Amino acid sequence: MFTVDDAEQTTERSLRLAAAVKTPTVTEFEMDLGAGLDEVFVSANGKVTRGDEVILLARSHHEIPSTVTVRGRLAGKKFERSYPVTFEPSVATSLVPRLWAAESMRRILG
């Protein structure tokens, strides 16, 4: 949101608005991981701007998919790309089940 409460803010807010308009954005954003993942939580809400991070948490009792396909619209044109999925065991990956559970509870409780 861009609001101007003070005349001194006009230049700074105008520059922020211009930067936001010029930044490439994927709209109608979707991620396709195929079948096998349950209760998927994605941090993107249909729109991803250049430089944004997209976090995906999911539960699965199957193999991790080998690719993820990203779809949407970029500059008004359909956009689709596939990326390989890699699994890197680390201390951080051991936290994923807890992060998924916390997000699940947050959504259940509203």
Side-chain angles (χ1 to χ4, degrees):
M1 175 186 272
F2 294 97
T3 59
V4 178
D5 300 322
D6 189 359
E8 294 174 2
Q9 297 175 337
T10 56
T11 302
E12 183 263 334
R13 296 296 165 99
S14 297
L15 291 172
R16 285 182 56 200
L17 177 60
V21 169
K22 290 182 179 182
T23 304
T25 301
V26 175
T27 56
E28 300 176 23
F29 178 80
E30 296 178 6
M31 291 177 72
D32 182 3
L33 294 151
L37 296 181
D38 302 324
E39 297 186 52
V40 177
F41 303 124
V42 180
S43 64
N45 195 13
K47 183 170 112 173
V48 178
T49 302
R50 178 184 224 162
D52 284 353
E53 177 180 65
V54 177
I55 298 172
L56 177 131
L57 299 169
R59 180 177 68 172
S60 181
H61 301 289
H62 306 284
E63 291 293 319
I64 294 174
S66 59
T67 60
V68 58
T69 302
V70 177
R71 292 186 190 92
R73 298 184 80 74
L74 182 61
K77 297 178 182 159
K78 286 189 176 188
F79 166 85
E80 182 173 319
R81 286 208 182 128
S82 293
Y83 299 95
V85 174
T86 58
F87 178 75
E88 298 176 12
S90 69
V91 174
T93 56
S94 67
L95 297 174
V96 172
R98 290 181 184 157
L99 293 170
W100 178 88
E103 182 63 18
S104 179
M105 291 308 298
R106 187 184 71 78
R107 291 183 184 210
I108 289 170
L109 298 173

